[in-house]
Amino acid sequence: MEKGLWKRWLQGIGRITGEVKERLKELWSQKSVRPEEWEELEEMLIGADIGPALAAEIVEEFRRLKERSREDTSWEEWLYGKLVAFFEEGEHLLFPRAQPETLKAVFLVGINGVGKTTTAGKLAYLAREKGERVVLISADTFRAAANEQLEIWARRAGCRFFRGAQGADPAAVVYDGLQSALKEKETLAIVDTAGRSHVNRNLLAELEKVSRVIRRFLPEEQVEHLLVLDALAGQNAFAQVESIARVVPLTGIILTKWDSQAKGGILFRVRKEFGLPVKYLGVGEGIEDLIPFEACEFVRAIVS
Amino acid sequence: MDRVFEQLAEKFAGVFKKLRGKGRLTAEEVDEALRDLRLVLLESDVHYRVVKDLIARVRERAVGREVLESVTPAEMVIKILWDEIRQILGGGAKDLHVPPVTPALFLLVGLQGSGKTTTCGKLGLFLKQRHYLPVLTSTDTRRPAAREQLRILASSAGLDFFDLPSARHPLEVVQAARRYAREKGRDVVLVDTAGRLHVEEELLRELQELTRGEEFHETLLVLDATTGQEAIRVAERFREWVNPTGIILTKVDTDARGGAVLSIVAQTGWPVKLIGVGEKLDQLEVFHPERMASRILGMGDTLSLIEKIERAITEEERKKLEKQVTKEEFTLEDFLEELRRLRRVGSFEDIMNMLPASLRGALSQVDGERSLKRTEAIILSMTREERRNPGIINASRKRRIAQGSGTTVQEVNRLLREFEEIRKLWKKMKKGHTLPFAKRKGFFGFGF
Ligand SMILES: Nc1nc2c(ncn2[C@@H]2O[C@H](COP(=O)(O)OP(=O)(O)OP(=O)(O)O)[C@@H](O)[C@H]2O)c(=O)[nH]1
Ligand SMILES: Nc1nc2c(ncn2[C@@H]2O[C@H](COP(=O)(O)OP(=O)(O)OP(=O)(O)O)[C@@H](O)[C@H]2O)c(=O)[nH]1
Ligand SMILES: [Mg+2]
Ligand SMILES: [Mg+2]
């Protein structure tokens, strides 16, 4: 990984945990802890958007650990264990079971403005660097200048661009797009979709339909359904995962705007409650600002 | 959507069950209730510091005579909290003001993807409908096709769009747009900007230079309703650099509870000027603090409905109503009375829109004002006996009623079916499935 990016990544991690770790350390060394202090710790965790329930759980476990133990236990170890348990090794890899040189598809979905189109562009660039032959397919036939936006990204990434007409049926566009990818012997089709409110039934049905087209076209192991979430989102992110997971078989998450210094605590909660792996983090608006999420390194960086 | 509201309703029913039926509340009981409410607020993304302040204030006011001696103490606690939130949200509430200078300059700022460009188009349409002549312009040179996006939006709404592709600096664009507006007799210039994070100092400085170089009459922070705990820092940083004059809250059509806006308003006092409720250009609405307060508390808009009903009901009617709700059965006579009251309270649409979605579903069979009148006619054509005991209405009675009311047997059947549904719902509600605040007031005679 490029050095600058790595650094930014670590910065993000430090932000999630710096304050909290400082606090844990203090509380650990205190003889007794007042109820307000426990509450403060809980609030600090809530402030990182991990949600009230998980925050309470962590505080409670830490409290018990402190009560039970003396010198020989280390809270760092506990924290490492606790955090690492959220993830599995290698789960960030895309298409773990796909044959090389076959056509694969990444289907990007999410609510409005989270960063789908930008992520499509970055992902295309990354995949091309890895030697894939990439086509960017725009299934956003609704938003003004959505096609133009993705087309510019395709140019930047140096890959082919496929679009439908404004107002066309996204499922039909995707079908034609995939067909053309087969013809061109491409190996990766990245499908960008229009942003949609996750409570809009019609738009969810549309998403379902597009997903069905892709799945009819390609076997399961050659398709990734990735939900794009905004790191600045609060607890509503869970409603987003929940309702979108009901219409398409999600296989992972991409968390964008990680450079916002939002604490991104939703990352843990999404993993815990939905079992969905985090695949990438978006860390800026440039084409290289997308980094694979390597959980173990991530946790090690948090705890060390 | 329905399911979400149901969950919220359940959540609240849970909170209230705890408060109900205990008679008087002790300070401990208030605290316990507030503990639950604290979680509700946190789940709604209200910043934890703001939550803390709120809870402390409410506790102070609740653990006192007012609550302890009230007939319905539970309602009082939540009402105090609701009032508090409403007051914060409504504090600076002002309409969007277009000053009498030509042209007035409005600036839209905010994080990436919050909805600035779309809102710029919406605002243009909003002003046009109010007989202003806006011109839209964009200083976004960063996001691919950003200006193209605004140009398309402007043309689809028949709005004037100004672009200066040769500009090297945002200020140049704005200055040129202002000159253009003056020459063409346009009275408002709406300036869209590139999204920027609150931690991107260079970009914030660029924005600051813009606000120092030109006098903006409104600088509006476009805020995404789904924003989490970080919102408060976003507001702090934008305040440091550009000092917004108000907020436009977007994506209110999602089920996000929107606690972020409460955090920000509590922190800054900025008024919420308008809300975005969809992607289309006409989906921009005025902000109702009380609706937002209910939403943050997960209660649909039940409360604004109650307020409205409260205003319309005379004391006498209220007493009669109280009696009615304690009655065991709900008859067509009650139904008729409720319908009439409803007509006085406001338009049917108004009322439906304020209900939580779960109830809206159950009631939508009785759709529209027109059918309200026909329903009334049908019930009036029944005998007293029939109204009290609809079971006796057989085919020949139905024909008579249809004839008498100038409707059809099918309509009579439908009404009876609907009435049966509502009666069932009413019974269920009576069995303790009530939602807050409606115990004595009700809608169609049942509390929700
Ligand atoms: N700082 C930062 N900005 C990002 C990141 N990812 C996307 N953005 C910005 O977020 C804004 C919205 O991105 P888009 O890619 O257009 O979002 P989208 O989900 O395609 O939006 P719709 O198609 O309108 O729903 C743009 O200004 C992007 O530059 C990121 O990781 N960091
Ligand atoms: N559901 C919903 N979507 C909205 C609303 N307002 C804007 N959007 C959508 O949000 C997405 C982002 O909107 P933009 O107007 O491009 O956001 P922006 O702030 O200009 O984005 P950048 O310029 O990249 O920072 C688009 O898909 C819009 O259609 C709203 O009120 N409701
Ligand atoms: Mg897009
Ligand atoms: Mg924009």
Side-chain angles (χ1 to χ4, degrees), chain A residues 8 48 198 216-217 233 282 285:
Chain A
R8 239 184 305 184
H198 57 286
R216 264 208 303 270
F217 221 95
E285 298 183 83

Side-chain angles (χ1 to χ4, degrees), chain A residues 15 19 36 39-40 42-44 46-49 51-53 111-114 142-145 148-150 152-153 156 195-199 201 203 230 232-237 239-240 242 246 257 259-263 269 285, chain B residues 1-4 7 38-39 42-48 52 111-114 118 142-146 148-150 152-153 195-200 203 224-231 233-234 251 253-257 279-280:
Chain A
R15 281 191 308 267
E19 243 187 331
E36 307 90 82
E39 198 165 298
E40 270 166 35
E42 189 182 330
E43 284 171 351
M44 208 174 253
I46 290 170
D49 282 319
I111 73 160
N112 304 90
V114 289
F142 175 78
R143 219 211 50 217
E148 288 81 349
Q149 186 189 358
L150 191 65
I152 292 170
W153 277 110
R156 287 182 185 173
R196 61 202 73 217
S197 156
H198 57 286
V199 296
R201 288 225 183 88
L203 293 180
D230 185 329
L232 285 145
Q235 300 308 303
N236 187 251
Q240 293 167 31
E242 212 173 30
R246 233 177 284 135
K257 310 184 197 175
D259 48 323
S260 65
Q261 296 191 7
K263 309 282 189 314
R269 207 176 152 192
E285 298 183 83
Chain B
M1 187 87 172
D2 288 2
R3 216 181 59 78
V4 173
Q7 280 176 350
R38 170 176 173 266
L39 281 184
L42 288 170
E43 285 280 1
S44 293
D45 293 321
V46 184
H47 193 265
Y48 66 86
K52 207 167 183 170
L111 301 174
Q112 285 92 342
S114 59
T118 310
R142 284 193 315 135
R143 168 166 162 175
E148 181 63 8
Q149 184 188 357
L150 189 63
I152 293 172
L153 290 174
R196 61 205 77 213
L197 294 173
H198 57 304
V199 293
E200 294 179 301
L203 296 179
D224 183 330
T226 65
T227 315
Q229 295 276 325
E230 191 70 8
R233 284 184 53 209
V234 172
K251 309 184 196 172
D253 52 317
T254 65
D255 60 356
R257 305 269 283 275
E279 296 187 68
K280 305 217 176 73

Side-chain angles (χ1 to χ4, degrees), chain A residues 96-123:
Chain A
R97 290 178 296 120
Q99 299 296 322
E101 287 301 303
T102 53
L103 176 63
K104 302 172 287 298
V106 169
F107 186 47
L108 293 169
V109 300
I111 73 160
N112 304 90
V114 289
K116 295 173 294 300
T117 306
T118 309
T119 302
K122 294 173 182 176
L123 206 54

Side-chain angles (χ1 to χ4, degrees), chain B residues 298-445:
Chain B
M299 297 191 293
D301 281 325
T302 311
L303 281 167
S304 28
L305 172 68
I306 281 151
E307 297 260 307
K308 209 165 175 180
I309 289 179
E310 258 178 327
R311 258 177 272 130
I313 302 176
T314 65
E315 201 46 44
E316 217 178 75
E317 274 175 313
R318 183 173 301 187
K319 276 193 201 122
K320 223 161 73 191
L321 214 70
E322 255 168 62
K323 224 184 285 158
Q324 184 187 304
V325 175
T326 54
K327 268 187 359 188
E328 269 320 303
E329 261 308 323
F330 181 66
T331 67
L332 275 160
E333 278 177 340
D334 303 323
F335 188 39
L336 180 63
E337 214 172 295
E338 290 293 290
L339 284 180
R340 288 177 164 169
R341 200 158 51 81
L342 203 61
R343 294 254 299 273
R344 211 164 35 244
V345 167
S347 88
F348 193 78
E349 235 85 326
D350 263 8
I351 305 237
M352 291 301 277
N353 284 335
M354 285 187 284
L355 285 172
S358 55
L359 269 161
R360 216 180 296 156
L363 293 175
S364 65
Q365 301 99 323
V366 200
D367 53 358
E369 306 254 8
R370 208 178 65 89
S371 99
L372 222 92
K373 289 205 188 84
R374 294 175 81 83
T375 305
E376 190 174 349
I378 295 174
I379 299 175
L380 282 173
S381 300
M382 294 177 186
T383 64
R384 210 168 157 179
E385 177 67 8
E386 285 165 347
R387 280 182 223 153
R388 294 199 171 160
N389 186 9
I392 64 168
I393 303 179
N394 57 18
S396 73
R397 283 180 192 252
K398 279 178 193 165
R399 272 197 301 279
R400 195 206 73 241
I401 294 167
Q403 219 160 31
S405 57
T407 59
T408 62
V409 173
Q410 283 89 334
E411 277 176 275
V412 176
N413 276 331
R414 207 182 59 210
L415 169 77
L416 289 172
R417 246 192 343 264
E418 283 164 4
F419 169 72
E420 190 49 38
E421 281 301 305
I422 289 171
R423 203 173 58 94
K424 269 194 231 143
L425 198 59
W426 181 78
K427 273 191 166 155
K428 215 161 92 187
M429 293 292 184
K430 271 192 76 75
K431 271 196 232 131
H433 294 276
T434 47
L435 287 165
F437 296 114
K439 235 166 132 188
R440 291 163 305 132
K441 287 140 198 163
F443 176 80
F444 287 139

Side-chain angles (χ1 to χ4, degrees), chain B residues 83-100:
Chain B
D83 269 337
E84 202 71 42
I85 295 174
R86 182 186 55 163
Q87 264 165 33
I88 293 171
L89 287 175
K94 275 177 258 143
D95 286 339
L96 201 66
H97 177 61
V98 185

Side-chain angles (χ1 to χ4, degrees), chain B residues 70 72 182 241 253 276 285 289 401:
Chain B
S70 152
T72 54
R182 200 174 307 124
W241 291 94
D253 52 317
E285 294 181 357
I401 294 167

Side-chain angles (χ1 to χ4, degrees), chain A residues 13 32 55 57 94 96 104 106-107 111 119 124 130 134 155 161 171 174 180 196 205-206 230 249 265 269 282 294 299:
Chain A
I13 296 167
S32 66
E57 181 186 314
L94 297 185
K104 302 172 287 298
V106 169
F107 186 47
I111 73 160
T119 302
K130 288 203 182 130
V134 185
R155 209 173 313 141
F161 173 66
V174 169
S180 75
R196 61 202 73 217
E206 183 188 281
D230 185 329
R269 207 176 152 192
E294 285 165 47
V299 174

